[in-house]
Amino acid sequence: MSSLQEFIDYLRSRGYKVTPQRLEIFKTVKSMRNHPNVYMIYQEVKKKNPTISPATVYKTLEVLERVGEIQAVCQIDGKTVYDTKLSPHINIHCLKCHKIKDVESDLVERLVKEVQIKSGARIVSQSINFFGYCSKCADEK
Amino acid sequence: MSSLQEFIDYLRSRGYKVTPQRLEIFKTVKSMRNHPNVYMIYQEVKKKNPTISPATVYKTLEVLERVGEIQAVCQIDGKTVYDTKLSPHINIHCLKCHKIKDVESDLVERLVKEVQIKSGARIVSQSINFFGYCSKCADEK
DNA sequence: ATGCTTGCAAACCGTTTGCAGATCT
DNA sequence: AGATCTGCAAACGGTTTGCAAGCAT
């Protein structure tokens, strides 16, 4: 799933209701980059729907996470932001500028396979977080 | 670092004070397995030092994290637990029994190297989290 | 008509902070 | 002696909950 129509179909198929709020939040999240937090999403959605409440945003984000449209990422300070990336990747958390950068690697898929074989577990998703200094901040040091 | 003596030396070398509370928390954390949360650590430390406060536990865990003795791990429900493992590994979060299991893999080191080359970032630590069903829960399904 | 959803406000809960007294160096 | 640390209690901030009114089916 990734398009608005697919989201609508998903909601209907599960007995969830299709509301303007949910569609607006879906569109907003999809248009945002750079790992927004709930407050940033709330502020952005409010531009289109000034009366929306944070509670509605929280509840819809929970639905979007269940669908697999977004993924919560825990920052080193414990705060939660969201990732709208779908493919397996690594989050690089910069300890200086605090930005998060995504990097892809074929090794992720291999790592998942190896871990499944080694542990006997069945893996359905992953969150890989590296901490250090992004290329820009590493250069400045 | 890993022994009590090394921890003491570290504290002194940084101008931190060596207090009974800090030593007790260090020993307690080192004796606990299975990813305890702050409350569990606090309860355990209280057995030896009944008047200790949660604030002291929080502050000492922060020191231990800075030293690299422990690492905060964010669970899928957003709650934080601690990992006392030092070597690079993967945390498998079971979506059914909610336990966290550690698995090691040589691929982690390779992944770190590849990401550093690809991104230009300098990586100093990592937290790799896989979500799914542990071997026990996968079998029961 | 039914029942899920919204928006509001209050509650919640893990964590942090301010501060006076105690402890370490 | 001087600075840091402890323990307490209050504050904080992000998130969840309860509920009455609204809306989708």
Side-chain angles (χ1 to χ4, degrees):
Chain A
M1 165 174 354
S2 196
S3 76
L4 186 60
Q5 189 54 54
E6 285 172 311
F7 182 52
I8 292 173
D9 293 343
Y10 171 85
L11 291 174
R12 291 234 165 84
S13 73
R14 297 292 186 105
Y16 289 123
K17 300 206 165 154
V18 177
T19 66
Q21 289 89 339
R22 284 180 174 161
L23 300 184
E24 192 56 51
I25 292 166
F26 176 90
K27 283 189 281 182
T28 300
V29 166
K30 285 291 154 184
S31 75
M32 293 181 86
R33 295 160 203 183
N34 296 328
H35 308 87
N37 58 30
V38 177
Y39 184 73
M40 289 158 74
I41 295 168
Y42 167 62
Q43 288 299 329
E44 196 63 27
V45 172
K46 225 167 54 161
K47 291 179 185 169
K48 296 288 180 58
N49 181 342
T51 63
I52 205 163
S53 84
T56 302
V57 175
Y58 275 103
K59 286 167 193 162
T60 302
L61 291 177
E62 201 185 312
V63 174
L64 287 173
E65 204 175 349
R66 201 154 44 225
V67 181
E69 272 302 316
I70 62 176
Q71 191 177 28
V73 178
C74 203
Q75 294 183 133
I76 205 163
D77 60 5
K79 308 229 171 105
T80 300
V81 297
Y82 285 92
D83 205 331
T84 59
K85 197 138 187 169
L86 297 169
S87 60
H89 66 279
I90 297 99
N91 299 121
I92 302 179
H93 302 242
C94 182
L95 299 173
K96 196 173 170 204
C97 70
H98 301 107
K99 283 186 186 142
I100 299 177
K101 204 183 156 187
D102 295 340
V103 180
E104 294 188 25
S105 167
D106 295 337
L107 282 179
V108 173
E109 205 185 328
R110 284 182 56 190
L111 184 60
V112 171
K113 277 183 189 160
E114 188 183 304
V115 166
Q116 290 191 121
I117 292 167
K118 266 195 179 170
S119 68
R122 190 163 66 79
I123 306 303
V124 298
S125 68
Q126 68 275 151
S127 175
I128 304 181
N129 301 280
F130 287 4
F131 306 96
Y133 300 90
C134 70
S135 54
K136 203 173 161 227
C137 291
D139 286 345
E140 288 170 12
K141 288 183 64 142
Chain B
M1 165 176 351
S2 196
S3 75
L4 186 60
Q5 189 55 53
E6 285 172 311
F7 182 51
I8 292 173
D9 293 343
Y10 172 84
L11 291 175
R12 290 232 166 84
S13 73
R14 297 290 187 107
Y16 289 124
K17 302 210 160 148
V18 177
T19 67
Q21 290 88 339
R22 283 180 174 161
L23 300 185
E24 192 55 51
I25 292 167
F26 177 90
K27 284 190 281 183
T28 300
V29 166
K30 285 291 155 185
S31 74
M32 294 180 85
R33 295 163 203 180
N34 296 328
H35 308 87
N37 58 30
V38 178
Y39 184 73
M40 290 159 72
I41 295 168
Y42 167 62
Q43 288 299 331
E44 197 63 26
V45 173
K46 225 164 56 159
K47 291 180 184 170
K48 296 287 179 60
N49 181 341
T51 63
I52 204 163
S53 85
T56 302
V57 175
Y58 275 104
K59 286 166 192 162
T60 302
L61 291 178
E62 202 185 313
V63 174
L64 287 173
E65 203 174 351
R66 200 152 46 226
V67 181
E69 273 301 317
I70 62 175
Q71 191 178 28
V73 177
C74 203
Q75 294 183 133
I76 205 164
D77 59 6
K79 309 232 170 101
T80 300
V81 297
Y82 285 92
D83 205 330
T84 60
K85 197 136 187 171
L86 298 169
S87 60
H89 67 278
I90 297 100
N91 298 121
I92 302 179
H93 301 241
C94 181
L95 299 174
K96 196 173 170 203
C97 71
H98 302 107
K99 284 185 185 142
I100 299 177
K101 204 182 156 187
D102 295 341
V103 179
E104 294 188 24
S105 167
D106 296 336
L107 283 178
V108 174
E109 205 184 327
R110 285 181 55 190
L111 184 60
V112 171
K113 277 184 188 158
E114 188 183 303
V115 167
Q116 289 191 122
I117 292 167
K118 266 195 179 170
S119 67
R122 190 164 66 79
I123 307 301
V124 298
S125 67
Q126 69 276 150
S127 175
I128 305 180
N129 301 280
F130 285 5
F131 305 96
Y133 300 90
C134 70
S135 53
K136 203 172 159 230
C137 291
D139 286 345
E140 287 170 10
K141 289 181 62 141

